[in-house]
Amino acid sequence: MATSKTVSKKEFWKLARKQKSLILISIPFFIYFFIFNYLPLWGLTLAFQNYKPYHKFWEQEWVGLLHFKNLFTDPDFYRVMRNTIGMSLINLALGFITAIIFALLLNELTGNLYHFKRVVQTISYMPHFLSWIIVCGLVSNILSMDDGILNEILLRSGLIKEKIHFLGKPEYFWWIVGFTNVWKSMGWNSIIYLAAITSIDPCLYEAAAIDGYGRFGRMWHVTLPGIKSTIIVLLIMNAGWILNAGFEMQYILGSNGLVLDVSETIDIFVLKRGFGRSGGFSFGTAAGMFKTVVSTIILLLCNKIAALLDEERLV
Amino acid sequence: MKKARIISLVMAVMMIVATSAACSPQAKDTTSESSTPTPGQISETSEGEKLKPITFTMFVAGPGEAPPKDNKIIKKIQEITGVTIEFEFLVGDMDQKVGIMIASGEYPDLIGAGQARGRFLNARAFVALDDYLPNYPNLWKHYEPYLNRLRSISPDNKIYILDIWGREYWLNDGQDHFYYGDYNGPAFWIQKDVLAWDGYSNPTKLDDFFDLLERYYKEHPTIDGQPTLPFEVHSQDWRSFCLKNAPQHLIGGRNEGDVVVNPETLEVEIYQNKWYAKEYYKKLNEAFKKGLIHPETFTRNYDEYLKVISQGRVLAMFDQQWNFQDGENVLIAEKKYERTYVPIGVSLDGTPMPYNRYKSDGIIGGNGMGISIKCKDVERALQFMDTLLDEEVHRLMYWGIEGEDYYVDANGRYRRTQEQRDKFADPQWRLANSGAVLGDQFPKLEGRYSNGNACSAGNQPEEKLEGLSDYDREFYSHYGFYSKSDFLPMGKDPGYPEVWSIFSTMEEDNPVKAIFDQITDLQNRHLPNVIMAEDFEAAWEEYVKKYEQIDYHFLEKEIEREIRERKVIY
């Protein structure tokens, strides 16, 4: 934007005319962002009122930070924060590592195996398109004690003596969510790494080969450094989502009393308190607002760290 | 910067997807003028516009299935009234769906408020009907004796909700009791085959009940090749009443919800931490340890619960019949009558308890529907309901077309042939061909028509008797019973609405609501663990200790006060 200060009004319009097709293309997105991302910000005022839906805006009762105070003194709030961050970290770690390794391995399938690579890639990103309700159905079938395949396999191979009630044990819940996420998104997430890998100069591989590096050596010294900046950009973006541990899966599979303590995420908390409880609109808004603010702070922080490390940045 | 470009490309694609998804067409304009009408105005417009087609949207805060557009009866009613109803039934959690509706202010024309009525009332979602009702003769006749009760549930003493059940018409000819509806409320429901196997017993003592399940389970570890599930405890979302509500009945209470009311003194007590609740959960804990309760019962969602019931392998459960009806219907369709259920009035000491079986004294100001403030045409909507209360039209809905769905015998009695009965027993056929799917959501006649026939085929005594399967007839004959309802003794109407119904209409910011939320949360979280605990005493101890941290005495006092207030009106 540094140049815009120096151009005169006339030049500005000249430039605008020149780029009018670009401006035209971007208009729908401006409208979209305005309607869906900026207009709703107005709703944040709910967090500072005792909102009653049938009152006009000026008739609402303003209560200041009361709902935030209630939020921070609510013992449930700390429980859902723990769950959110716990599941998020598992998702982040598992999701990240598996997608990168998967991309590296796929990339090694060359020559005759090229078609095989295509097939594997297609199959692996298919689960991405399944809705969570279907995925949860599959998961609960697989883990069922009744006729679930996992219990059958473990039982027949002699690894366990008694069937395990996977979905009823709090200690398993986070991992079930983590591994389901891996299954659902690994293929899809690896696409971006595969794309980044294609832009690595093949000469580097040849040079590495001449220097005596084997397959793993080339992966470690050429491919990984080649996609490092992509990895970091994605890491920063994902860090901003750390309070989004998911919603559907925890809601569908975790709504029973046995695992409720470990399954509720902040999104479910906001929904339950905001819409499920009588008169909770304002409280729910406050909790949602808290989440957004923290997410933004984390995102900016990560960006800063990346800058300090002299790596590619997002903003 | 190539990578950055790739990222921005991916993001652009994501945005396009998001935009196209977000730009779904907006709901059509629903502005309305709801000025108070003068009587003269009404008759003019309603005559002129009577047949002008109009479509009302309707949300029902309960599960159900919308009838197909070409349902023959609904088509006929559309010809008579010009009104089409577009149903939306509840899917998922009621409180959240209703909350979102209230927050957005996007109401349909009509709302079947059900248990969510308090939230709609508090959000001022309904049009007050006090000035309208006298203009509609059928509606007026229907509600006139109960106006106070209708008013009692609203915060400003106006009529917002019209009860759809409970207004019964009797002829007082000594025959009325043959026309009572079958019991479908809370009870310990048990498969007929289990009772038959035990020599047609009626185990009303809690210990005997579980003892019977255990003995039957030992001899029948599988049913139709699948493992038997002796006792199911469903506990998903709001349906956790299956987990929580049994103790109040074990000592003879009515279905009040979370409290027990002393009928003499009107004293109210929370019961989930009392000795009789402990007895019950201790029994469940024992049953769990014996393998009578499968651990997965707590993780099954509602669909899975219905599935295992429809497989015929659940021997018993505490539930309300309408809640598991869909599963049982599959058993009926497959003619597995021995796997269908009857209610048992189980108690701690063995005295048979009435559970929720009592003859109610008319409308309670409870389960009803309202006209939303966004309704296109309040008068047309009321006109429509008024027409549905016409005996002719009502018969069309609940009996069908004469000669096609029923016939009239020489004595003027409405009857069905076996073929017609079989058709009506099929839920899919019923959805496409019966008007009851429409009528059930609106004010309706119950009891008997002026010509003595039952208001719905299911309650016609001859139909009830002849409609029984051979298995059922034989089964009931061993007990000398007329229907499954007879398993429960008849209770007495205590003269105030059920507490859960009082509760659901309390003001939003009443502190009682927050206390109630805490209690519900605690129970949903802890009771399954109490049932599955290795050491029951310790788990119970911990649960009760958490309970004591909640100020439930305040809730008890508030409810008691409300009951005393209502008692005056009733």
Side-chain angles (χ1 to χ4, degrees), chain B residues 369-399:
Chain B
M369 58 152 325
I371 298 180
S372 87
I373 47 173
K374 294 284 172 75
C375 181
K376 296 181 198 69
D377 189 341
V378 178
E379 290 160 27
R380 271 305 282 282
L382 284 168
Q383 184 61 51
F384 176 67
M385 287 181 240
D386 195 64
T387 313
L388 294 188
L389 286 178
D390 186 274
E391 275 198 18
E392 278 305 302
V393 179
H394 193 273
R395 189 158 53 235
L396 198 58
M397 283 196 298
Y398 282 90
W399 280 93

Side-chain angles (χ1 to χ4, degrees), chain A residues 50-100:
Chain A
N50 252 344
Y51 179 72
K52 295 251 160 60
Y54 48 88
H55 279 166
K56 298 268 169 12
F57 179 72
W58 55 87
E59 294 168 351
Q60 302 289 354
E61 176 196 353
W62 294 84
V63 294
L65 294 174
L66 177 74
H67 294 296
F68 290 93
K69 209 182 115 208
N70 289 344
L71 179 67
F72 296 132
T73 50
D74 192 327
D76 283 347
F77 173 68
Y78 295 97
R79 193 171 46 78
V80 300
M81 282 302 282
R82 180 201 67 192
N83 295 342
T84 308
I85 293 172
M87 275 184 268
S88 224
L89 288 179
I90 289 178
N91 285 349
L92 192 66
L94 282 181
F96 232 69
I97 294 165
T98 51
I100 293 169

Side-chain angles (χ1 to χ4, degrees), chain A residues 52-54 79 140 144-146 165 229-230 233 251 255-258 261 264 271 275-277 279 281, chain B residues 3 7 95-96 99-100 102-103 119 122-124 236 295-296 298-299 304 313 508-509 513 517 524-525 529:
Chain A
K52 295 251 160 60
Y54 48 88
R79 193 171 46 78
S140 81
S144 160
M145 288 173 88
D146 221 15
H165 188 202
S229 50
T230 310
V233 167
Y251 188 71
S255 62
N256 62 78
L258 295 177
D261 274 340
E264 268 183 318
L271 181 77
F275 294 115
R277 282 198 177 178
F281 295 127
Chain B
K3 299 121 221 172
I7 295 167
D95 279 334
Q96 284 158 17
I100 289 165
I102 290 171
R119 303 201 61 189
N122 285 316
R124 317 283 195 267
Q236 212 79 21
E296 270 196 324
F298 299 112
T299 48
E304 288 164 337
R313 59 199 182 105
E508 294 273 295
D509 32 20
K513 293 238 164 177
D517 283 340
N524 285 351
R525 258 169 231 277
N529 287 309

Side-chain angles (χ1 to χ4, degrees), chain B residues 271-305:
Chain B
Y271 62 80
Q272 287 291 341
N273 56 351
K274 298 293 182 294
W275 65 271
Y276 42 98
K278 186 179 175 186
E279 288 285 305
Y280 177 60
Y281 291 112
K282 194 171 176 178
K283 195 80 220 168
L284 292 191
N285 181 267
E286 275 170 28
F288 178 79
K289 283 176 182 157
K290 285 178 184 159
L292 300 180
I293 296 174
H294 194 279
E296 270 196 324
T297 192
F298 299 112
T299 48
R300 259 189 262 283
N301 63 34
Y302 182 56
D303 289 335
E304 288 164 337
Y305 174 62

Side-chain angles (χ1 to χ4, degrees), chain B residues 100-117:
Chain B
I100 289 165
M101 202 178 264
I102 290 171
S104 70
E106 294 276 324
Y107 300 115
D109 298 315
L110 309 171
I111 297 173
Q115 285 200 46
R117 65 189 176 284

